[in-house]
Amino acid sequence: MKRRDFVRHGAVTAAGLGLVGRVDLLHGIATPTTIGTGIAQDRDALGALALEAARSAGADYADVRIATSRTQFVATREQIVSGVADSETSGFGVRVLVDGTWGFASSRDVTSDEVTRVARVAVEQARANRAAQRRPVELAPLDWTGRGEWSTPISVDPYDIPIEEKVELLLAANRAAMAVSGVAFTNSQMAFIRDQKFFASTDDVVTDQTIYRATCGMNVTAISDDRSDFQSRNSAELSPRGLGYEHVTNADLIAQAPRWAEEAVQKLSAKPVQPGRYDLVLRPSHLWLTIHEAIAHPTELDRIMGFEANYAGTSFISSPEEFLGSFRYGPEFMNIQGERSTPTALSTVGWDDDGVRPDEYLIVKDGVLNDLQTTREQAPWLEDWYSSQGVPVRSHGNSYSQSWEDVAFQRMPNINLLPNADSDVSEEELIADVENGILIDGNGSFSIDQQRYNAQFGGQVFYEIKDGRVTGQLKDVAYQIRTPEFWAALDGLGGESTYELGGSFGDGKGQPAQSNSISHGCPTTRHRDVTVINTGRRA
């Protein structure tokens, strides 16, 4: 596609102007970005200068993050370019502890004089914050010190691919979808993030990481002939990944677009679901979101302890002492793992933003709540529990900041429902034992209460199951849950062959809000006797 044609087709062309921030696809926030020029200076020297300035000003602990982040977003509708943005932000942030109280300051002016000044400001901030101190901050020990480098393994840097080529791919996918009779609208998009993070701390940790993330997808809308109904199908199974441009190539939007379009058209004539109790068979493209909302968020320790209530509140887990080791989340074959090491997963890194090398741990073990997400600050809150289990106190490496100008806090890792360990149970085997049920593919709209206890989830495509067989499409399906009851109703767990990664390019938390990227792996599952409602009925 020629540049002249690209501009002519574009409804909005803002490439390189930084007009669009990091779009949070899950919770609907957009974080502003700032144009930067990259960090050309000696980061080791600047980091050492920041740490020494903080120490000299009275800090007991200090760390510095020097970072450059680039974000690119391309969106189209039918044969129009609806949005393009390419922005970069660079700067540094210094975090300190003074008498057990945090202070933080940042700047986009990465110079020796500014690094020294900002480090001293962070110390002053910590002293001012002591007035609000509840208890002195204690950091869990590190099991690793030294210098390390890590980079997301990618094949193609997305920023080496011309914008015109990306636009032409999306427009071609739109044409393929629009060629299906009954389709009225289609839009498609792709987005990329590259984070270059340098971290150094007074605990003798220095890390240098380059992290890539990529997402792409489309949404197709079909309208009935009499215009009395419309139905949409998005590419929910195309989970964002920690990959380069090869993720877009492998997604093969052009080839898959007709299938999504046909399924959108088929939903117009699908049978409306009858409200009632059904057995549900849930594919990973759907279940990842239920895991995210009903397991991942409520096991964040800051929500449990009342330090976080943004984006749907705190947690039904009211205290670690009462729930750890005793609260049954689900059946004995249910195991939920936290980790940051799965290849291509979005939370995978070498080190977190506390300089901790993350580990793998079971949040739910044999159906019972076994552990919680922690940072260096949070892990000592669970010292009594860890001691009772004969486990040393350590952070699980769950600290994250979306940029150099934001303070790091607890963010979820990759959180996964592990597949059946005894047998490679197939989706067909799970369906075969269902008399009256629904198979759900893809995630849709959802709502959840302030303790993540009561919730409702929709999907993309729904199939009726009768006497062990899929009989046809349904529409207007949503199911309602109470978190413990829903997981207690889990009676069928797919094997390794059904296991897939799902996730979101953006997950909002905090105030001021920050966004991170998360993945959740899971197999296909079966849940018995779940309440299903019809979302298309009017009161």
Side-chain angles (χ1 to χ4, degrees), residues 173-216:
N174 292 350
R175 286 194 295 271
M178 292 295 292
V180 174
S181 178
V183 171
F185 308 105
T186 184
N187 57 66
S188 57
Q189 65 284 322
M190 62 179 74
F192 309 95
I193 294 175
R194 182 179 63 203
D195 286 333
Q196 296 168 295
K197 290 185 177 183
F198 174 88
F199 174 93
S201 78
T202 52
D203 283 343
D204 298 322
V205 171
V206 178
T207 65
D208 198 351
Q209 303 186 82
T210 301
I211 301 163
Y212 285 86
R213 301 184 184 97
T215 188
C216 65

Side-chain angles (χ1 to χ4, degrees), residues 57 104 156 193 195 199 208 221 245 285 318 343 387 428 465 515:
F104 177 79
V156 181
I193 294 175
D195 286 333
F199 174 93
D208 198 351
T221 300
Y245 193 74
S285 61
S318 57
S387 297
E428 290 73 20
I465 303 172
S515 181

Side-chain angles (χ1 to χ4, degrees), residues 320-328 368-371 385 389:
E321 296 81 7
E322 295 178 10
F323 280 73
L324 281 169
S326 59
F327 174 68
R328 179 158 290 281
V368 176
L369 185 65
N370 178 70
D371 210 336
W385 164 250
Q389 302 300 303

Side-chain angles (χ1 to χ4, degrees), residues 295-515:
I295 295 178
H297 273 310
T299 57
E300 293 173 313
L301 187 53
D302 54 355
R303 291 191 187 275
I304 294 169
M305 301 299 288
F307 290 103
E308 172 63 44
N310 206 13
Y311 290 104
T314 54
S315 174
F316 70 90
I317 301 172
S318 57
S319 70
E321 296 81 7
E322 295 178 10
F323 280 73
L324 281 169
S326 59
F327 174 68
R328 179 158 290 281
Y329 229 115
E332 290 186 359
F333 57 80
M334 176 182 173
N335 292 284
I336 299 289
Q337 178 195 60
E339 50 80 19
R340 303 191 72 176
S341 56
T342 295
T344 80
L346 293 166
S347 292
T348 295
V349 293
W351 298 269
D352 79 345
D353 284 353
D354 285 346
V356 172
R357 184 166 50 194
D359 62 351
E360 296 181 359
Y361 57 104
L362 288 178
I363 295 173
V364 175
K365 181 179 181 181
D366 300 330
V368 176
L369 185 65
N370 178 70
D371 210 336
L372 299 167
Q373 304 165 51
T374 59
T375 64
R376 287 192 73 188
E377 177 182 2
Q378 295 171 339
W381 302 350
L382 302 178
E383 183 174 4
D384 291 344
W385 164 250
Y386 288 143
S387 297
S388 71
Q389 302 300 303
V391 177
V393 175
R394 80 176 299 276
S395 166
H396 287 311
N398 300 154
S399 178
Y400 175 82
S401 169
Q402 72 172 0
S403 79
W404 53 268
E405 61 185 337
D406 297 295
V407 68
F409 68 124
Q410 193 273 308
R411 301 307 304 270
M412 70 178 65
N414 306 312
I415 291 181
N416 315 311
L417 171 62
L418 299 183
N420 194 312
D422 299 325
S423 176
D424 190 10
V425 177
S426 67
E427 179 181 293
E428 290 73 20
E429 290 176 273
L430 295 172
I431 292 172
D433 197 27
V434 174
E435 291 184 9
N436 183 38
I438 302 172
L439 169 66
I440 303 181
D441 188 9
N443 60 278
S445 61
F446 73 97
S447 62
I448 196 162
D449 71 8
Q450 292 297 301
Q451 278 68 51
R452 300 193 174 264
Y453 189 81
N454 299 284
Q456 177 175 307
F457 293 91
Q460 286 300 308
V461 185
F462 314 96
Y463 298 96
E464 183 179 46
I465 303 172
K466 285 292 185 183
D467 299 322
R469 295 177 56 251
V470 173
T471 60
Q473 271 205 38
L474 295 171
K475 64 180 177 181
D476 303 329
V477 176
Y479 62 91
Q480 297 177 326
I481 71 169
R482 290 187 178 92
T483 293
E485 295 174 7
F486 174 77
W487 293 109
L490 171 66
D491 87 320
L493 192 64
E496 187 69 36
S497 63
T498 72
Y499 188 90
E500 297 177 4
L501 281 179
S504 174
F505 210 52
D507 174 41
K509 183 181 175 184
Q511 195 170 17
Q514 294 189 39
S515 181

Side-chain angles (χ1 to χ4, degrees), residues 1-11 13:
M1 189 179 194
K2 296 180 180 179
R3 184 175 299 274
R4 179 174 54 192
D5 296 330
F6 162 71
V7 174
R8 187 177 71 241
H9 281 286
T13 53

